[in-house]
Amino acid sequence: MSSTSVLELPLTASGMTPRVVDPALDLEVEIRRLKKQLNAVILAHYYQESDIQDVADFVGDSLGLSQEAAKTRADVIVFCGVHFMAETAKILNPDKRVLLPDLDAGCSLADRCPPETFAQWLKLYPGHTVISYINCSAAVKALSDVICTSSNAVEIVRSVPKDRPIVFAPDRHLGRWVMKQTGRDMVLWPGFCVVHEQFSQRRIVRLRAEHPDALLIAHPECEESVLSLADHVGSTSSLLQFVRTSPAKAFIVATEAGILHPMRRARPDAKLIPAEPSSGCNCALCPYMRLNTLEKVYLCMRDGRPQIEIPEPTRTKALRAVQRMLDVSAGKVFTGGD
Ligand code: 13P
Ligand code: SF4
C-alpha cells in the first residue's frame, strides 16, 4: 500500500504533522512488506500488545532481547519495547538504525534515576562495584561496571569477588531479592517499578483463598511482601517457562498482563489469573509499554523515525558494562570492575 493511504492532517500548533493511518490498511501485511524492504528485524518484549508480539521475529525478556540485538544481521532494528531496551540495542549496534515506535515509551525505574544525581550518589561509595539493572538510561549504564537483567542478576552479583562491596541500582525490590538469594549485602538505589509496586500482599492473599490450587508466580520487581508468598520468582521468560513446564493447572500471575498472551499459547489448558493491582483496574498494564501500538510500529518503519541516538562517548562507556553482562551470561569471568 502506498503512502496515499495515510491521511496527513494539517500542521498542529507545535508544527508537527500528526500521522494518522487509514483504518482500511492491513497493518500486518504492510509491516511484513516493510520488514523485507528495509532488511529489518522486529524485536518485541512480552509486555507488548498481542498483535505486536504476533508480528515480531523474536519475543523475549530483556536479556533475550539484548542477546538477539547483539547477534542480528539486519540493517534496521524495530524495537517494540521501552526506551532503555531500544537504547541497549543501539549501544550494541552503533551502525544500525534502531527504531522505537513511540519515543515516550520510558520506564519509571529509568526515569527516577537521573544520571547527574546517580553520579553524585556514587561518590559516597568509592571502591564499590556498580551493578545496574538494565532498566536505566545509557548515561547510567555508562557510570556502571556491569549491567544485569532480572534473568541474570543473581549470577552477575555472584560473579563479583566476595571482598568487593556492591552498589545496586535502580530497583530496590530486585536488589533486595538478589541480596536474599546470594547472601551478599548491597547498597540499593531506592527506585521501583510503578506497575509491580501495585501488587499488594492483601489482594494476593485474597486471590489465593479464592483459588487454593493456583501457584503464585511473580516478577522480582514486586515488593518483598508479595515475593515472600510466591511459588516461583523470575524474569518474564522464567515465569513463562515455569507455566510451560509446571504440572499445575492454575497460576496467579504477578507481573504485567502482556505475558498472559504467550502463556495462554503455551498452556491453553491452564487457568491464568492476573494479580490485580491496587489501583482499581483488573489487570496490570505498563503505561509506557502500552504507548506502542501496531499503527506506530508501521509508521516508524514507513518513516524511519523515531530513531534512537546516543552520544558516542556515552555509548562506548555503556557498551563496556553491557558487554560484561553478556560475557558473564556466556560463562566468562568478571573481576569486579575497575
Ligand atoms: P524482564 O527482563 O523480566 O522481561 O523484565 C523487564 C521489565 O521491564 C519488567 O518490568
Ligand atoms: Fe519499567 Fe515497570 Fe514498565 Fe517494566 S513494567 S518497563 S519496569 S515501568
Side-chain angles (χ1 to χ4, degrees), residues 199 204 207 216-217 251-255 273-277 281-284:
F199 300 122
I204 300 272
L207 265 185
L216 171 66
I217 58 173
F251 304 88
I252 299 170
V253 183
T255 192
I273 306 142
E276 306 157 7
C281 1
N282 282 332
C283 60

Side-chain angles (χ1 to χ4, degrees), residues 110 113-116 118-119 122 130 132-133 135-145 147 169-170 314 318 321:
C113 187
E116 307 74 25
F118 188 59
L122 286 180
V130 181
S132 291
Y133 186 32
N135 297 41
C136 65
S137 64
V140 165
K141 288 184 175 74
L143 293 165
S144 309
D145 291 307
I147 302 305
T314 305

Side-chain angles (χ1 to χ4, degrees), residues 319-332:
L319 176 62
R320 202 182 54 149
V322 172
Q323 193 56 55
R324 276 177 175 161
M325 169 186 81
L326 295 175
D327 289 349
V328 172
S329 276
K332 293 195 190 150

Side-chain angles (χ1 to χ4, degrees), residues 45 47 82 84-85 106-110 133 135 192-196 221 256 286-289:
H45 188 263
Y47 296 165
V82 289
F84 75 80
M85 295 177 174
C107 167
S108 60
L109 279 163
Y133 186 32
N135 297 41
F192 60 92
C193 159
V194 288
V195 179
H196 290 85
E221 287 174 13
E256 216 266 4
C286 172
Y288 306 98
M289 286 276 182

Side-chain angles (χ1 to χ4, degrees), residues 162-175:
K162 285 210 168 59
D163 57 342
R164 290 288 292 259
I166 298 173
V167 158
F168 188 93
D171 188 2
R172 62 184 174 196
H173 299 307
L174 173 66

Side-chain angles (χ1 to χ4, degrees), residues 3-9 17-23 302:
S3 59
T4 50
S5 59
V6 174
L7 312 171
E8 293 285 356
L9 296 185
T17 306
R19 299 183 300 160
V20 181
V21 181
D22 181 346
R302 187 200 69 179

Side-chain angles (χ1 to χ4, degrees), residues 64-280:
L65 288 163
S66 310
Q67 289 166 332
E68 274 312 299
K71 67 180 187 212
T72 185
R73 298 171 81 94
D75 296 320
V76 176
I77 299 172
V78 181
F79 213 109
C80 302
V82 289
H83 195 270
F84 75 80
M85 295 177 174
E87 254 190 353
T88 306
K90 184 69 180 177
I91 289 167
L92 290 160
N93 293 284
D95 300 329
K96 295 187 196 298
R97 273 198 292 163
V98 178
L99 304 172
L100 179 65
D102 191 320
L103 219 43
D104 288 330
C107 167
S108 60
L109 279 163
D111 293 352
R112 286 169 205 223
C113 187
E116 307 74 25
T117 320
F118 188 59
Q120 284 301 111
W121 185 73
L122 286 180
K123 286 189 185 151
L124 299 171
Y125 304 103
H128 285 56
T129 293
V130 181
I131 304 181
S132 291
Y133 186 32
I134 197 164
N135 297 41
C136 65
S137 64
V140 165
K141 288 184 175 74
L143 293 165
S144 309
D145 291 307
V146 60
I147 302 305
C148 71
T149 75
S150 53
S151 275
N152 60 17
V154 167
E155 188 187 3
I156 298 285
V157 168
R158 286 201 175 122
S159 75
V160 177
K162 285 210 168 59
D163 57 342
R164 290 288 292 259
I166 298 173
V167 158
F168 188 93
D171 188 2
R172 62 184 174 196
H173 299 307
L174 173 66
R176 202 165 291 129
W177 180 74
V178 172
M179 277 168 58
K180 234 176 147 177
Q181 306 306 304
T182 59
R184 291 287 290 263
D185 200 17
M186 303 194 292
V187 180
L188 305 179
W189 175 270
F192 60 92
C193 159
V194 288
V195 179
H196 290 85
E197 262 219 356
Q198 295 231 20
F199 300 122
S200 74
Q201 191 183 44
R202 196 172 60 85
R203 282 184 173 233
I204 300 272
V205 167
R206 203 181 61 198
L207 265 185
R208 287 196 108 168
E210 286 166 19
H211 305 278
D213 296 335
L215 297 182
L216 171 66
I217 58 173
H219 195 278
E221 287 174 13
C222 295
E223 286 185 341
E224 194 176 13
S225 58
V226 170
L227 297 179
S228 64
L229 300 175
D231 298 292
H232 179 69
V233 176
S235 71
T236 49
S237 295
S238 164
L239 299 182
L240 176 59
Q241 182 61 8
F242 185 81
V243 167
R244 190 176 279 132
T245 54
S246 165
K249 292 267 184 245
F251 304 88
I252 299 170
V253 183
T255 192
E256 216 266 4
I259 192 72
L260 298 171
H261 179 59
M263 281 181 181
R264 279 189 198 110
R265 284 230 172 111
R267 286 292 306 277
D269 62 309
K271 189 168 184 187
L272 300 169
I273 306 142
E276 306 157 7
S278 49
S279 61

